[in-house]
């Protein structure tokens, strides 16, 4: 079974086979994402208000999934970067390049919703503490990688350079995760992913988990669509080169 | 601002950002499809597709 799964994954290195697989799974993923968001939003607004934070606690149901996705997206890019440098998988670079704008959007959301939650709870929109600053650095890294991909005409060179930058930048992910433990921050410590289990009451934990699942499905759906667009973009470039060669006098 | 305003702004910003992200992906998709269709109409096809077409004719 493991061998057949491995064969299937390696078979997806063929872009045409990958595009066929995407065409098959995409409608299902769009449907599941829509259902998860409908259920998650319903549960989020049914959840009780916090005794201290009041209704602002509802910002948690979009802020926390955005922040998780911001880090998960970079992890997907780091795995793709390894795929580019070690296995030279044809789709690894496509995956990393397609993920960068999506990761930037989720990081932007984490920063904006965090600021909108921070103002009524902390009394300030922003503070340069370790957690907020490291997430802001992550946002800048996403923007830098998008610029890097656009700055180079040769896709193979852009893939190698970007992969190295992505892997070097991955050091920021554990810094984000553990910043609240290593330094004094205004941001609260982890309350869901902890060794001793979540500290959030079930009435708020379940809506949060459903919303996190919805955001994750949204990420994978958009990632597959963006990967398909990138494959088509490279195919168009290749066909144009082929057409230009065919009209050149020999 | 009331707490309701902060919550509304947060959900509104999220909806706008996700809509912009989905819109960007769909516009990009439409553009690439149009480019591929234009190349196909000009008779520019991938060598593998041409070979498959030739094999099919034989």
């Amino acid at each position: 079974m493991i061998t057949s799964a491995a064969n299937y994954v390696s078979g997806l290195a063929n872009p045409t086979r990958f595009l066929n697989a995407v065409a098959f799974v995409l409608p299902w993923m769009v449907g599941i994402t829509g259902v998860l968001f409908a259920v998650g939003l319903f549960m989020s607004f049914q959840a009780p208000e916090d005794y201290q934070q009041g209704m602002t606690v509802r910002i948690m149901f979009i802020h926390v999934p955005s922040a998780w996705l911001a880090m998960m997206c970079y992890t997907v890019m780091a795995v793709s970067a390894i795929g580019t440098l070690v296995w030279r998988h044809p789709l690894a670079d496509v995956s990393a390049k397609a993920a960068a704008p999506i990761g930037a959007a989720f990081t932007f959301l984490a920063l904006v919703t965090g600021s909108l939650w921070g103002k009524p709870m902390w009394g300030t929109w922003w503070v340069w503490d370790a957690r907020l600053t490291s997430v802001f650095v992550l946002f800048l890294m996403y923007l830098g990688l998008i610029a890097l991909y656009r700055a180079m005409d040769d896709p193979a060179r852009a893939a190698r350079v970007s992969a190295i930058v992505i892997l070097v930048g991955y050091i920021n992910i554990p810094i984000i995760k553990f910043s609240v433990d290593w330094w004094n921050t205004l941001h609260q410590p982890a309350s869901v992913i902890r060794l001793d289990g979540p500290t959030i009451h079930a009435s708020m934990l379940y809506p949060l988990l459903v919303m996190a699942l919805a955001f994750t499905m949204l990420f994978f759906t958009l990632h597959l669509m963006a990967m398909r667009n990138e494959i088509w973009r490279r195919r168009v470039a290749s066909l144009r080169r082929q057409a230009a060669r065919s009209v050149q006098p020999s | 601002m009331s707490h309701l305003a902060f919550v509304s702004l947060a959900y509104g910003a999220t909806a706008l950002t996700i809509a912009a992200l989905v819109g960007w992906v769909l516009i990009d998709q439409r553009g690439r499809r149009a480019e591929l269709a234009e190349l196909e109409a000009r008779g520019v096809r991938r060598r593998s597709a041409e070979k498959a077409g030739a094999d099919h004719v034989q």
Side-chain angles (χ1 to χ4, degrees):
Chain A
M1 188 179 163
I2 293 171
T3 311
S4 60
N7 286 341
Y8 180 74
V9 171
S10 62
L12 291 179
N14 178 331
T16 303
R17 209 170 289 167
F18 176 79
L19 291 176
N20 290 338
V22 170
F24 176 75
V25 299
L26 214 47
W28 292 96
M29 292 180 74
V30 170
I32 293 168
T33 304
V35 169
L36 281 171
F37 264 108
V39 174
L41 285 170
F42 176 77
M43 290 173 76
S44 301
F45 283 92
Q46 289 295 309
E49 292 185 0
D50 185 72
Y51 79 103
Q52 280 182 319
Q53 303 187 45
M55 72 179 312
T56 61
V57 76
R58 298 198 200 291
I59 297 176
M60 173 179 74
F61 302 124
I62 47 177
H63 169 73
V64 174
S66 299
W68 283 347
L69 260 293
M71 290 190 285
M72 197 194 79
C73 183
Y74 201 88
T75 304
V76 167
M77 288 173 67
V79 172
S80 302
I82 293 170
T84 299
L85 294 174
V86 179
W87 297 294
R88 298 181 188 275
H89 195 289
L91 292 180
D93 173 53
V94 170
S95 165
K97 188 180 177 188
I102 305 171
F106 281 118
T107 312
F108 171 77
L109 272 182
L111 290 169
V112 169
T113 54
S115 186
L116 284 164
W117 197 7
K119 180 62 181 166
M121 290 303 105
W122 300 338
T124 181
W125 298 100
W126 184 263
V127 59
W128 291 100
D129 79 358
R131 169 59 70 85
L132 276 68
T133 306
S134 54
V135 174
F136 183 64
V137 168
L138 179 66
F139 181 60
L140 294 181
M141 279 162 51
Y142 276 125
L143 297 186
L145 283 164
I146 293 167
L148 191 60
Y149 273 115
R150 285 168 183 254
M152 283 188 241
D153 288 332
D154 179 9
R157 188 158 170 260
R160 282 194 301 276
V161 173
S162 305
I164 293 166
V165 174
I166 290 167
L167 288 177
V168 170
Y170 194 74
I171 188 70
N172 193 36
I173 298 300
I175 290 176
I176 293 173
K177 166 72 182 149
F178 297 110
S179 57
V180 287
D181 304 319
W182 292 342
W183 294 285
N184 264 329
T185 64
L186 203 52
H187 197 283
Q188 66 173 65
S191 46
V192 179
I193 303 172
R194 298 163 53 101
L195 288 175
D196 54 351
T199 54
I200 301 181
H201 190 262
S203 61
M204 292 179 185
L205 179 63
Y206 292 139
L208 177 61
L209 293 179
V210 175
M211 284 297 279
L213 209 53
F215 271 74
T216 307
M217 280 302 293
L218 176 68
F219 165 72
F220 282 116
T221 305
L222 290 173
H223 188 218
L224 283 182
M225 292 173 79
M227 281 180 74
R228 183 170 66 176
N229 291 348
E230 183 57 30
I231 291 170
W232 283 343
R233 192 184 337 277
R234 291 176 186 201
R235 193 168 278 183
V236 166
S238 157
L239 285 171
R240 283 185 176 153
R241 278 196 302 273
Q242 184 184 313
R245 275 197 299 270
S246 67
V247 294
Q248 274 175 357
S250 55
Chain B
M1 279 205 294
S2 67
H3 282 184
L4 179 63
F6 283 107
V7 174
S8 305
L9 275 173
Y11 276 80
T14 304
L16 271 177
T17 306
I18 290 176
L21 197 56
V22 172
W24 164 71
V25 169
L26 290 177
I27 289 168
D28 194 24
Q29 175 180 300
R30 184 187 284 189
R32 302 298 77 75
R33 274 191 171 144
E35 284 174 346
L36 282 169
E38 186 253 339
L39 285 163
E40 177 87 9
R42 280 170 45 198
V44 183
R45 301 179 71 195
R46 291 164 59 230
R47 287 193 198 93
S48 58
E50 281 172 1
K51 189 171 179 293
D55 290 346
H56 186 69
V57 171
Q58 285 167 1

